[in-house]
Amino acid sequence: SLVRLQVFLKHRMAQLSSQAGDEVLFQSVRDKRVIILNRPKALNTLNLSMVRQIYPRMLEWESDPNVSMVLIKAAGEKAFCAGADIRAIAEAGKKGDDLARDFFKEEYMLNYKIGTYKKPYIAVIDGILMGAGVGLSVIGKFRVATERTLFAMPETAVGLFPDVGGGHFLPWLEGKLGTYLALTGFRFKGRAVFQAGVATHFVQSEQLPALEQALMDLPEVSDLHVAKVLDAFHEQNTIDKDKQFVLKPHIQQINQVFSARSMEEIYSRLKEDGSEWAQQQLDTLKKMSPTSMKVTLRQLQTGETLSLAEMLPIEYRLAQHFLEDHDFYEGVRAVLVDKDQNPKWNPSTLEEVTAEKLDWYFSPLSPERELVL
């Protein structure tokens, strides 16, 4: 059929352009715009040059009356975006190179634009979604997961924190689910990404070309029109329809334990709980950076009442302070460089991460260094 041929040709064009080595591809379909993350071999990890290509276009399209909506997706079947290129950021940070500062600043400006976009913005999250990828999707209005979507915020394992607006959106997940996900890096897949509230819709991956076509064919575009199309495809998807949310059996425990106001209290509630599940959570948390966990908990508590515009400058301060400390570099070394999975955190215990240290992480930067949105 003609539709199939059009979709095939579109994919072929995308393949050909990807051979040309562009890290981001842009397509115009009448009044619609499409962004394609195009580093499939690197799991579409986000780098500064990609941010610098996407941001000005998002600005331009928002004020262009001839553009009605924006859709973002990724090349390949493995990943939407598996995070930022944090190895490059760590190498730059060690040398005091500007890249480390610039990347976070410009990435957060892009996150803010996505989170407050005045036109329908649809992220098709087919594959791995972590870290920086969340800032390109979850803070936007429409997020479409598939059975191949794998979601996690694994930052505490690399001595960092769940940034890209995590302090704003994680608290609005049900109960204390956001805090649990942020501290443990728990991963889930497929329909669970929708059930958790991370995605707004769940569509079969083989239906994505038809979904995209339906969106591109919309004669009139508004949030309502887009939602109608997405709802229809979501309704058709029967994959795991009767499957209960993977964390449902533990949701009461999660709410009880992770509502604690300090990491020490979370530990003591898990010990009190005494179940096999509680022991597994303790074992997981003990592998994470104590500094990252304390910073993350306070970040989410702070973010409970803040807008994205208020949260991102705080997260920028945190990011800059992580670059001035030890654990981020050690986490990258252990997980991504030497891959021994054996980081030596400093401080190595929760007790040693003092209130003063925590306050320093949240302290203002010099005025010219602050993030201004």
Side-chain angles (χ1 to χ4, degrees):
S1 77
L2 185 61
V3 171
R4 280 214 186 106
L5 180 65
Q6 285 172 327
V7 168
F8 169 76
L9 288 173
K10 230 190 263 175
H11 282 282
R12 189 74 195 111
M13 290 305 291
Q15 281 171 340
L16 291 171
S17 345
S18 73
Q19 286 156 5
D22 296 330
E23 294 181 320
V24 189
L25 305 172
F26 299 94
Q27 294 174 344
S28 298
V29 183
R30 294 178 298 278
D31 56 331
K32 327 290 195 305
R33 298 293 177 268
V34 180
I35 303 167
I36 305 170
L37 306 177
N38 191 36
R39 297 181 72 206
K41 287 196 176 119
L43 299 179
N44 296 313
T45 47
L46 190 68
N47 60 29
L48 186 55
S49 81
M50 293 162 80
V51 171
R52 285 179 173 171
Q53 289 176 69
I54 297 168
Y55 185 67
R57 284 177 171 88
M58 291 287 289
L59 282 183
E60 184 195 315
W61 295 336
E62 192 173 34
S63 57
D64 183 344
N66 298 314
V67 174
S68 65
M69 66 170 236
V70 178
L71 181 141
I72 186 168
K73 61 179 186 171
E77 295 181 355
K78 269 195 171 157
F80 170 72
C81 174
D85 189 350
I86 57 172
R87 191 170 171 172
I89 295 162
E91 281 161 18
K94 267 186 191 156
K95 292 188 287 218
D97 189 319
D98 284 350
L99 168 75
R101 192 173 60 231
D102 295 346
F103 175 77
F104 287 111
K105 187 162 267 187
E106 294 180 42
E107 179 193 24
Y108 292 3
M109 286 167 74
L110 173 59
N111 298 152
Y112 180 64
K113 182 47 63 192
I114 289 169
T116 56
Y117 213 54
K118 294 183 175 70
K119 293 179 177 176
Y121 177 87
I122 303 126
V124 177
I125 318 162
D126 187 24
I128 298 167
L129 172 67
M130 293 182 188
V134 172
L136 298 177
S137 56
V138 181
I139 53 179
K141 192 158 275 175
F142 299 106
R143 295 96 64 187
V144 181
T146 76
E147 73 283 357
R148 295 192 292 222
T149 307
L150 173 73
F151 168 85
M153 290 297 269
E155 288 81 1
T156 54
V158 288
L160 210 48
F161 69 105
D163 62 339
V164 296
H168 170 67
F169 75 81
L170 286 164
W172 50 250
L173 298 180
E174 193 191 332
K176 288 295 161 190
L177 187 58
T179 306
Y180 172 73
L181 297 176
L183 292 172
T184 63
F186 184 83
R187 302 171 171 215
F188 42 68
K189 214 179 165 177
R191 191 175 284 272
V193 181
F194 163 73
Q195 291 166 323
V198 172
T200 55
H201 295 81
F202 181 52
V203 174
Q204 226 159 319
S205 58
E206 62 187 40
Q207 287 291 314
L208 290 179
L211 169 68
E212 200 179 315
Q213 193 67 50
L215 290 166
M216 296 301 131
D217 288 345
L218 275 174
E220 213 183 319
V221 175
S222 68
D223 283 349
L224 204 62
H225 293 103
V226 169
K228 236 178 164 166
V229 172
L230 296 178
D231 290 349
F233 277 84
H234 174 85
E235 289 307 317
Q236 287 168 28
N237 186 2
T238 55
I239 294 177
D240 293 337
K241 198 145 198 179
D242 303 319
K243 198 173 176 185
Q244 73 163 0
F245 179 42
V246 59
L247 289 171
K248 187 126 199 283
H250 302 293
I251 220 78
Q252 266 180 307
Q253 285 163 296
I254 287 171
N255 291 341
Q256 204 278 320
V257 169
F258 290 88
S259 56
R261 300 307 284 174
S262 72
M263 279 310 303
E264 287 86 349
E265 179 61 22
I266 286 174
Y267 269 41
S268 80
R269 287 186 189 184
L270 284 169
K271 283 174 190 155
E272 254 168 61
D273 179 301
S275 67
E276 189 186 345
W277 176 84
Q279 190 52 52
Q280 284 167 351
Q281 308 319 305
L282 265 175
D283 294 344
T284 298
L285 292 172
K286 282 176 180 165
K287 292 179 187 147
M288 305 304 181
S289 153
T291 302
S292 287
M293 290 193 292
K294 281 201 168 180
V295 168
T296 297
L297 185 61
R298 178 153 155 192
Q299 172 205 1
L300 299 193
Q301 288 166 350
T302 305
E304 280 169 10
T305 54
L306 298 186
S307 67
L308 187 62
E310 292 165 322
M311 196 62 218
L312 283 168
I314 295 172
E315 293 189 359
Y316 185 68
R317 290 173 182 171
L318 295 176
Q320 296 314 297
H321 287 126
F322 271 101
L323 289 167
E324 290 163 26
D325 206 358
H326 166 275
D327 277 7
F328 170 54
Y329 300 105
E330 176 57 12
V332 169
R333 181 206 66 74
V335 177
L336 297 173
V337 182
D338 300 338
K339 298 185 178 168
D340 56 28
Q341 312 299 331
N342 188 24
K344 300 277 179 278
W345 305 123
N346 184 15
S348 60
T349 65
L350 288 173
E351 292 66 39
E352 290 170 284
V353 183
T354 61
E356 292 75 44
K357 173 95 177 220
L358 208 46
D359 288 342
W360 171 74
Y361 264 93
F362 285 83
S363 64
L365 307 168
S366 54
E368 74 285 355
R369 284 183 65 201
E370 294 278 21
L371 172 67
V372 180
L373 293 169

